[in-house]
Amino acid sequence: MTKRFVFGKAFDTEAVKDKPEACKEKIPYFENAETSSFSLEMDSSDIVYGLGENVRGINKRGFIYENFCTDQPEHNENKSSLYAAHNFFIVSGNKKNFGAFFDSPGKVTFDIGASSYSTLKVSIENTGYEIYIIENPTLELIIKEFRNLIGQSYIPPRWAFGIGQSRWGYTCEEDIRKIAENYRKNKLPLDMVYLDIDYMEKFKDFTVNKKSFPDFKNFVSDMKKNSVRIVPIIDAGIKMEDGFELYEEGKENNYFCKDKDGNDFIVGVWPGKCCLPDFLNPEAREWFGMKYKFLTDQGIEGFWNDMNEPALFYSEKNLEKVFDQVKEMKKLNIGLKESFALKDTILNLANNTDDYKSFYHCKDGKKIRHYDVHNLYGYNMTRAASEAFEKISPEKRILMFSRSSCIRLSQIRRNLDGRQYVQVAAHSPELENASIP
């Protein structure tokens, strides 16, 4: 059984389609000691599973997890936040067995026995959110009911279940061909090679470096003939460059996230100064999604979306502050304190919390602070692509990876024969019409 509890005015994350009626009773298992903070007393035998993509072992007890999608390449056990935010866990023990989904698009912190081994505490920064409690006698039934709540999983094309080679640093067609040749020479399986940002022209989305890949379409075709798909990267940031069509269109149509004054919010990513598409805006999603056609027209059948937490090297606003501080420090005899202060200032440029609080989305005519819906950004970038694939290649299943993710509803479509297929990528003959029961 699933019970839904509503607190405040919740932003609709669209994670659940057919929502149960909100319960008026007190939420079970948890004590609500203060606003947006819930605690649960655990027995010594209780095991806590879940939280999706995270560090540490299967049992999450004894650590604090901060679900706020973060560009964090160092995945050691001291890291509390990675690229994804999956706010679902199961408590399993002798006296209790239930699942809990905290449906909130902002930062949620799970202290699972770190401060006190017997206490599980959930802290939600947003004032509006929903909580789903799933009660069933077995873990399998809890998970099954949760999947019924949010929809079936995305199923990629069959070839995506093979072996893929991915490494930053392949800069040209010759590099990739040599990779495939060496795999075959050493009798190793290879089904796909991932292209990082070096295949692009000056790291600009939906471009190809013509010097490194003079005939990209023919290259993609040749690789496919040898049973190797090419899977290029797409980043979230759009390079600010006069004359760059993608930037000019986004600017003209107000498709970018804004600062508090309504100006395009400028950040630094791989190409330099960039703007971030407002993926909460359906028109911006449609615009960005249809740009994938540039690559599907050249034979590409799979993509990986990256830097979409979104990752920020700096904001233009904070970068100016650093320059001002450096200018002032040039007048000083820099000692210990000044040296560390300067270092901290520079290190705090990337993925700065104040930056995430400084730009806004527009949804249904309303201005929404990014920080409050941060965990939805990567999903909505990938949603832009998946919705476009329905128009670009309705008869083909497209592979789609996303570095940043959260729990969202998986839409289901039906084929003409009545069987169900996941909408996030269209069905393909290569799957031999594999259906979802």
Side-chain angles (χ1 to χ4, degrees):
M1 182 199 316
T2 299
K3 295 180 179 180
R4 170 174 165 250
F5 302 86
V6 179
F7 297 84
K9 189 175 181 180
F11 181 89
D12 186 6
T13 65
E14 302 178 57
V16 177
K17 183 178 180 182
D18 299 319
K19 297 183 178 183
E21 286 292 324
C23 292
K24 303 296 183 184
E25 64 192 70
K26 182 181 178 182
I27 184 171
Y29 304 107
F30 293 93
E31 292 293 331
N32 187 198
E34 54 188 88
T35 304
S36 301
S37 181
F38 298 83
S39 63
L40 160 74
E41 288 303 306
M42 297 183 290
D43 296 326
S44 59
S45 61
D46 286 344
I47 297 175
V48 180
Y49 302 103
L51 299 185
E53 179 188 290
N54 244 309
V55 295
R56 305 180 74 83
I58 294 176
N59 187 357
K60 299 302 180 183
R61 286 188 76 163
F63 199 66
I64 293 177
Y65 304 89
E66 296 177 312
N67 277 7
F68 189 81
C69 296
T70 304
D71 176 18
Q72 179 52 263
E74 297 181 8
H75 300 176
N76 60 56
E77 290 197 353
N78 293 323
K79 303 301 180 183
S80 58
S81 190
L82 295 183
Y83 304 114
H86 301 159
N87 301 335
F88 174 72
F89 62 82
I90 294 174
V91 177
S92 178
N94 296 325
K95 299 179 181 178
K96 60 179 82 71
N97 212 48
F98 72 93
F101 171 38
F102 288 77
D103 188 8
S104 175
K107 184 176 180 179
V108 182
T109 301
F110 300 86
D111 182 340
I112 307 181
S115 300
S116 169
Y117 193 71
S118 63
T119 304
L120 187 159
K121 184 177 180 180
V122 183
S123 302
I124 307 171
E125 291 207 6
N126 289 15
T127 56
Y129 50 89
E130 297 184 354
I131 299 176
Y132 294 81
I133 301 295
I134 303 173
E135 297 176 301
N136 256 312
T138 67
L139 298 181
E140 182 181 7
L141 289 174
I142 290 172
I143 293 170
K144 185 175 182 180
E145 190 159 345
F146 178 60
R147 297 319 307 262
N148 287 336
L149 198 67
I150 64 170
Q152 300 288 338
S153 294
Y154 155 62
I155 297 178
R158 172 183 270 182
W159 57 265
F161 288 94
I163 302 297
Q165 172 71 17
S166 178
R167 183 176 181 179
W168 183 22
Y170 303 142
T171 60
C172 62
E173 180 180 321
E174 184 182 351
D175 288 347
I176 309 302
R177 291 187 184 276
K178 188 176 291 185
I179 293 292
E181 181 183 331
N182 285 335
Y183 264 86
R184 299 294 184 242
K185 182 180 178 181
N186 288 284
K187 296 182 169 45
L188 296 172
L190 181 68
D191 300 277
M192 68 211 89
V193 176
Y194 294 84
L195 298 185
D196 212 305
I197 55 177
D198 290 306
Y199 83 92
M200 301 177 183
E201 177 191 331
K202 299 178 181 177
F203 308 145
K204 295 185 293 187
D205 279 344
F206 308 113
T207 66
V208 173
N209 186 326
K210 292 181 181 179
K211 291 183 179 180
S212 301
F213 296 88
D215 190 345
F216 191 69
K217 186 173 184 178
N218 183 60
F219 162 66
V220 172
S221 177
D222 280 354
M223 296 300 290
K224 185 177 178 181
K225 288 175 184 176
N226 287 294
S227 301
V228 177
R229 262 68 170 199
I230 298 300
V231 183
I233 193 173
I234 300 294
D235 283 343
I238 305 298
K239 181 176 176 62
M240 288 182 65
E241 182 181 87
D242 292 340
F244 177 35
E245 184 179 7
L246 196 63
Y247 168 67
E248 296 286 5
E249 289 178 357
K251 181 179 179 181
E252 180 181 355
N253 293 286
N254 282 320
Y255 288 154
F256 297 136
C257 294
K258 307 294 184 183
D259 64 19
K260 62 181 179 60
D261 298 318
N263 301 311
D264 291 339
F265 189 71
I266 300 172
V267 301
V269 203
W270 296 114
K273 291 184 179 180
C274 294
C275 293
L276 298 171
D278 182 0
F279 293 117
L280 284 186
N281 177 351
E283 292 181 6
R285 278 204 308 272
E286 182 179 12
W287 162 74
F288 188 88
M290 291 305 294
K291 296 300 178 181
Y292 286 80
K293 190 174 186 298
F294 169 75
L295 290 164
T296 59
D297 283 351
Q298 298 183 69
I300 294 298
E301 299 174 82
F303 299 89
W304 57 305
N305 285 345
D306 198 50
M307 302 294 285
N308 56 353
E309 290 72 36
L312 314 177
F313 292 168
Y314 59 83
S315 69
E316 188 177 51
K317 175 188 66 176
N318 276 341
L319 188 61
E320 289 300 322
K321 290 181 180 179
V322 171
F323 289 154
D324 290 342
Q325 184 174 345
V326 171
K327 187 176 180 180
E328 287 298 315
M329 283 192 166
K330 285 179 69 175
K331 305 172 186 177
L332 304 176
N333 180 4
I334 296 178
L336 176 66
K337 291 182 179 180
E338 294 82 5
S339 176
F340 276 97
L342 179 60
K343 183 182 71 172
D344 289 344
T345 298
I346 294 173
L347 290 176
N348 287 330
L349 270 176
N351 306 320
N352 187 288
T353 299
D354 288 340
D355 285 337
Y356 290 127
K357 292 180 178 180
S358 298
F359 69 93
Y360 297 82
H361 301 267
C362 182
K363 189 175 189 301
D364 301 326
K366 297 179 180 179
K367 190 163 86 169
I368 299 169
R369 188 174 68 159
H370 170 81
Y371 183 82
D372 299 325
V373 292
H374 173 79
N375 292 334
L376 303 181
Y377 193 84
Y379 167 80
N380 277 295
M381 178 185 176
T382 300
R383 177 184 181 182
S386 67
E387 290 172 345
F389 295 152
E390 290 292 310
K391 302 173 184 177
I392 295 170
S393 302
E395 298 305 316
K396 186 182 290 291
R397 188 183 290 273
I398 304 292
L399 172 65
M400 175 54 71
F401 283 114
S402 175
R403 188 171 81 174
S404 176
S405 63
C406 65
I407 293 174
R408 290 296 297 263
L409 177 71
S410 298
Q411 301 290 342
I412 301 296
R413 58 179 288 186
R414 287 189 178 275
N415 196 18
L416 294 177
D417 64 3
R419 290 182 289 179
Q420 292 181 333
Y421 295 84
V422 177
Q423 186 183 17
V424 76
H427 53 282
S428 163
E430 289 178 296
L431 269 175
E432 298 177 352
N433 295 321
S435 62
I436 302 171

